Amino acid sequence: MNKKIVLVTGATSGIGEGCARRFAEGGYNVIITGRNKEKLETLKAELEKQGTEVLSLAFDVRDRKAAEEALKSLPTDWKFIDVLINNAGLARGLEPEYKGDFDDWDQMIDTNIKGLLTMTRLIVPSMVARNHGHIINIGSVAGDAAYAGGNVYCATKAAVKAITDGLRIDVADTKLRVTNIKPGLVETNFSNIRFHGDTQRADNVYKGITPLTGSDIADVAFYAASAPEHVQIAEVLVLATHQANGTVIHREK
């Protein structure tokens, strides 16, 4: 297998799907992972029609054993992953911290932090052994400063920044590169999940502003991966034009 290989977690929608499509377009073979097997197979078939070799692995990054078994199942030629995109993540609820839902907290912490750590731990040792590889973590502007109702979600994305920075230090003596991409408002199913399926409330998040798309963030990820080997794009904050930071947004009426 001559083409490079990218593995994308949470590839069934949004930024993850955008990354799978962009890297396929850029000549990579693609491993897509996610919880929804049907959606994975649909994306796999579409990318294969375009001439990309694709493997799909259906598992939840919160399930460490399932992640280990999925990666062990990879054919030998697919085990040498060039780019890992830790995208799987979510937000749940906007309640004050003292009214937060324990299950929501567990899901965010187990996915956004522990799931990312699991995939990093399982894949990066091979990269270190080969002295080659790139880890791209999808953080958030929410990791820079907390906003009202964001408490635990913001904390998980702050953790992504610290984990990414720590990994970059750990592999500084290798040729591995580590990138943290921090999007602002991106119109995906993110808000719908946060509000437990309340579509109207989710739509209001993007009212009056042209938000980013999953494809926009995928372009940034691909740019980082395509930079010369001596260039490490360590961190990128990507905002919609009328968004200044995590809390200041100009909405047209």
Side-chain angles (χ1 to χ4, degrees):
M1 184 181 294
N2 295 321
K3 290 185 177 181
K4 290 183 177 181
I5 298 171
V6 60
L7 185 149
V8 184
T9 67
T12 54
S13 64
I15 294 172
E17 180 183 347
C19 286
R21 293 182 183 281
R22 182 66 185 89
F23 277 76
E25 179 187 321
Y28 281 71
N29 289 327
V30 182
I31 302 170
I32 50 177
T33 85
R35 293 178 295 172
N36 191 314
K37 185 175 181 179
E38 185 177 338
K39 286 185 178 180
L40 287 174
E41 290 302 318
T42 298
L43 178 59
K44 179 177 185 289
E46 186 176 339
L47 294 178
E48 286 178 335
K49 283 182 180 179
Q50 299 169 9
T52 302
E53 290 188 51
V54 183
L55 284 183
S56 65
L57 301 175
F59 65 91
D60 189 331
V61 294
R62 292 178 296 171
D63 187 337
R64 188 176 300 158
K65 184 176 180 181
E68 288 177 331
E69 291 176 351
L71 292 173
K72 284 179 182 177
S73 75
L74 289 174
T76 301
D77 286 349
W78 286 85
K79 291 183 184 293
F80 303 110
I81 294 164
D82 298 280
V83 179
L84 166 63
I85 301 180
N86 279 315
N87 163 75
L90 77 165
R92 284 288 197 182
L94 270 175
E95 297 83 8
E97 189 172 318
Y98 60 90
K99 293 183 178 179
D101 184 281
F102 288 112
D103 290 336
D104 285 351
W105 291 354
D106 285 343
Q107 191 170 4
M108 286 187 283
I109 292 168
D110 289 347
T111 304
N112 300 0
I113 302 176
K114 293 168 71 176
L116 181 149
L117 285 170
T118 292
M119 297 304 294
T120 300
R121 180 65 181 85
L122 294 175
I123 292 173
V124 173
S126 173
M127 292 181 171
V128 172
R130 291 178 286 127
N131 200 28
H132 169 79
H134 194 162
I135 303 91
I136 300 176
N137 293 332
I138 305 300
S140 172
V141 63
D144 288 345
Y147 54 75
N151 44 77
V152 174
Y153 173 70
C154 293
T156 66
K157 289 304 183 177
V160 170
K161 173 176 170 52
I163 290 166
T164 307
D165 290 346
L167 179 61
R168 194 179 305 111
I169 293 167
D170 291 338
V171 299
D173 60 340
T174 74
K175 292 183 179 180
L176 273 65
R177 299 183 294 181
V178 184
T179 301
N180 181 21
I181 298 176
K182 306 185 300 185
L185 279 178
V186 184
E187 188 166 14
T188 64
N189 64 350
F190 175 89
S191 290
N192 194 275
I193 292 172
R194 162 167 262 172
F195 299 127
H196 299 276
D198 187 336
T199 302
Q200 183 175 357
R201 190 178 179 192
D203 289 344
N204 286 336
V205 173
Y206 310 108
K207 188 169 290 185
I209 187 172
T210 302
L212 302 167
T213 67
S215 296
D216 293 328
I217 306 307
D219 283 339
V220 176
F222 189 79
Y223 172 80
S226 303
E229 191 177 56
H230 71 285
V231 178
Q232 180 172 216
I233 309 297
E235 187 170 284
V236 185
L237 176 63
V238 191
L239 303 174
T241 299
H242 290 306
Q243 180 176 14
N245 55 32
T247 57
V248 178
I249 300 169
H250 172 73
R251 300 181 187 273
E252 296 179 351
K253 298 179 180 179

